[in-house]
Amino acid sequence: MRATIISTLVVAAFSAGICAFSLSLIDHVSSEIDVMRAEVVALADDGRVEEARLRLKQTAEMWLRHERQLAVLVSHETLHEITGLIVEGDANLTAGDLDDFTRSMALLGEAIGRLGRDERLTLSNLL
Amino acid sequence: MPTIFIRAVLLYFILMLSMRGMGKRQLGQFQPYEFVMAMLIANLIATPMSNVSTPLLHGVLPVAALYIVHALITLLCLRSDRLRAFISGKPSLIISKGVVRQEELKRLCLTLSDLLEGLRGAGYLDPAEVGTAVMEANGVITAFPRSDRRPVSVGEMSMDAGYEGMPMTLIMDGRLQQHNLQCARLDKTWLESKLAGRSLCVEDVFLCSIDTQGRMTIQDRGGNLSQFQALDAKEVGW
C-alpha cells in the first residue's frame, strides 16, 4: 500500500508540474507574441513599413524559438497555423499589400488567442 | 494540459458509473473500475501513437490522471466497505438452499439460460446439484454443491492426508531452477543423483517437480513420464 501511495504522489506531482509549466509557458508566449503583433500592426498603420517588417521578423524569430518547446505541449496543427500566418503577413507586407497584411495579422491575433484560450482551465473547455 | 487532465478524470467517472449502471453482466472478470481503466487506456494511447501531430504528453497526461484516480479508488476501497460496495457492487445470492431466487435473477437482469450457462462454467451440468450459487461483484458465477451431493472429504473419513502445499518445479526445459531448489532446501548434487538413478542428466529433463508429499515427477525430452518417492514426506521443508 505504501508503494501505491508513493507512486501516486509522484505521478500527481509530475502531472501538476507539467500542467503548471504548460499553462505558464503558453500564457507567456501567447501574450508576448500578441504584444509584438500589435506593435507590428501599429507600425504598419503609421506607414512605417520597414520598421514593421523588422519587428515582424523579430516576432518570427521569437516564435520559432518557442515553437520547439510548445510542440511538446500543444497540438502541432495550431503551431503550424501560427507559423503560416506570420510568414503570410511578412509576404503581404513585402508586397505592399496592406489589406491582406491586416487580415493576416487579425487571423494571427485570433490564432494566438485561441492557443491560450484552449489551454485555459474553463468550464467551456472542460465540457 | 490541466484541461486534458481533468477531462480524463471526468471521463473516467462517467464511464465507471455507466459500467456500474449496466450491471454485472457486462463485466466478465474485472471490477467496474478496473474495466474502465482497461477500456480508456487503450484509446488514450492510440491517438498520440498514430498521430505525430499530437504531442506525446496528450496521451501520457490522461493516463497519469487515470492512474491517480485508480490508485485513490483502490486505496479508499481498502479503507471503506461502503465505498467498495458502491463502486464494485456486492455479491448476489442467486441460488439458496437449492432454490433459484427468481427476484434476484430479475434484479440482475439475468435469464435462466445465463444462470445455467454460468453453472456449467462452474462445473455443474445439473442445477439440481447446486445448493448455493453466488454472482460475484465481477460478474462471475460461483456455485457450491448441495451438502448431500458433494464428495466425502478426507477429514470426514478421519484419514490423515498429510500436508498438501505448493509443488516445487526443479527443472524447466533442461534448466535447473536454482531458487526453487534452495526454497525446497535441496541441492544440485542430490537432484543429479536422483536423475542418475533414472539414467538422466539435467539437460535431458523437460519438466521435473516435487510435491509436498515428497513425490518427484519427471518428464524427459522424449515425453516419458516417471513418478517416484524422492523424499520422505517428513523431510519436506517448504
Side-chain angles (χ1 to χ4, degrees):
Chain A
M1 196 203 291
R2 199 171 162 208
T4 309
I5 294 171
I6 291 170
S7 62
T8 306
L9 289 175
V10 169
V11 175
F14 165 78
S15 306
I18 293 281
C19 289
F21 171 71
S22 158
L23 271 184
S24 131
L25 183 71
I26 290 168
D27 197 45
H28 167 73
V29 173
S30 61
S31 55
E32 203 170 340
I33 292 283
D34 203 39
V35 167
M36 291 175 92
R37 181 198 65 88
E39 285 171 9
V40 172
V41 172
L43 287 169
D45 284 348
D46 289 349
R48 293 146 71 185
V49 176
E50 268 315 302
E51 284 177 64
R53 272 196 68 196
L54 192 66
R55 195 73 182 126
L56 189 58
K57 198 179 165 207
Q58 289 169 348
T59 309
E61 282 166 1
M62 212 275 280
W63 170 251
L64 287 176
R65 260 202 319 276
H66 287 302
E67 197 189 14
R68 287 188 204 105
Q69 293 171 302
L70 289 174
V72 183
L73 308 168
V74 182
S75 168
H76 297 184
E77 273 105 21
T78 316
L79 303 179
H80 295 158
E81 189 189 345
I82 292 175
T83 310
L85 286 167
I86 292 174
V87 171
E88 193 182 295
D90 186 48
N92 289 332
L93 201 57
T94 308
D97 192 345
L98 286 180
D99 286 345
D100 279 352
F101 167 75
T102 311
R103 184 183 145 275
S104 302
M105 287 298 106
L107 287 174
L108 178 63
E110 167 56 24
I112 292 167
R114 197 165 358 105
L115 181 70
R117 279 199 307 274
D118 283 355
E119 283 300 313
R120 228 160 275 151
L121 197 55
T122 58
L123 197 62
S124 58
N125 274 347
L126 281 176
L127 302 179
Chain B
M1 285 287 167
T3 313
I4 293 172
F5 187 90
I6 295 174
R7 279 171 74 113
V9 174
L10 288 175
L11 286 170
Y12 179 93
F13 282 112
I14 290 167
L15 204 52
M16 198 184 72
L17 286 173
S18 314
M19 294 316 300
R20 278 289 283 125
M22 282 182 210
K24 293 170 189 168
R25 287 188 55 162
Q26 309 297 325
L27 296 174
Q29 51 184 312
F30 290 111
Q31 295 293 337
Y33 64 102
E34 292 167 338
F35 192 71
V36 168
M37 188 82 173
M39 278 177 76
L40 282 180
I41 281 191
N43 282 316
L44 285 172
I45 292 297
T47 311
M49 200 186 280
S50 58
N51 186 358
V52 287
S53 295
T54 308
L56 204 63
L57 277 174
H58 282 203
V60 172
L61 210 68
V63 172
L66 297 188
Y67 178 85
I68 293 167
V69 179
H70 187 266
L72 285 177
I73 287 181
T74 308
L75 290 171
L76 289 172
C77 282
L78 284 175
R79 301 227 160 197
S80 163
D81 289 340
R82 287 179 71 181
L83 185 71
R84 187 167 56 240
F86 174 72
I87 287 174
S88 302
K90 288 179 183 170
S92 309
L93 192 62
I94 45 180
I95 298 180
S96 175
K97 295 176 186 167
V99 178
V100 177
R101 298 179 71 202
Q102 296 179 45
E103 286 306 309
E104 201 59 24
L105 285 189
K106 275 184 196 161
R107 199 181 69 77
L108 294 167
C109 301
L110 207 66
T111 62
L112 263 177
S113 305
D114 295 328
L115 174 64
L116 295 177
E117 195 181 313
L119 292 178
R120 284 196 295 274
Y124 292 96
L125 208 57
D126 182 1
E129 287 180 15
V130 179
T132 305
V134 178
M135 190 173 206
E136 304 294 351
N138 60 9
V140 171
I141 293 177
T142 45
F144 304 92
R146 288 163 48 160
S147 54
D148 57 343
R149 300 288 176 99
R150 70 173 166 80
V152 179
S153 72
V154 173
E156 284 169 330
M157 295 176 76
S158 305
M159 288 169 68
D160 180 16
Y163 167 65
E164 276 183 6
M166 179 91 168
M168 288 285 177
T169 307
L170 303 179
I171 301 172
M172 283 173 79
D173 203 7
R175 286 189 300 275
L176 200 66
Q177 302 300 302
Q178 203 67 49
H179 176 72
N180 288 355
L181 209 57
Q182 282 170 1
C183 288
R185 294 179 202 160
L186 302 170
D187 57 40
K188 193 180 171 187
T189 320
W190 175 86
L191 181 60
E192 281 173 342
S193 71
K194 292 291 173 191
L195 293 176
R198 271 146 189 85
S199 308
L200 290 168
C201 62
V202 173
E203 288 74 25
D204 298 333
V205 176
F206 184 64
L207 184 65
C208 169
S209 64
I210 184 164
D211 65 19
T212 46
Q213 300 290 319
R215 274 190 304 268
M216 182 176 274
T217 307
I218 300 173
Q219 183 188 329
D220 65 20
R221 290 192 185 276
N224 304 309
L225 205 65
S226 61
Q227 196 174 55
F228 58 96
Q229 196 70 34
L231 275 179
D232 190 82
K234 287 174 187 163
E235 290 178 278
V236 172
W238 68 94

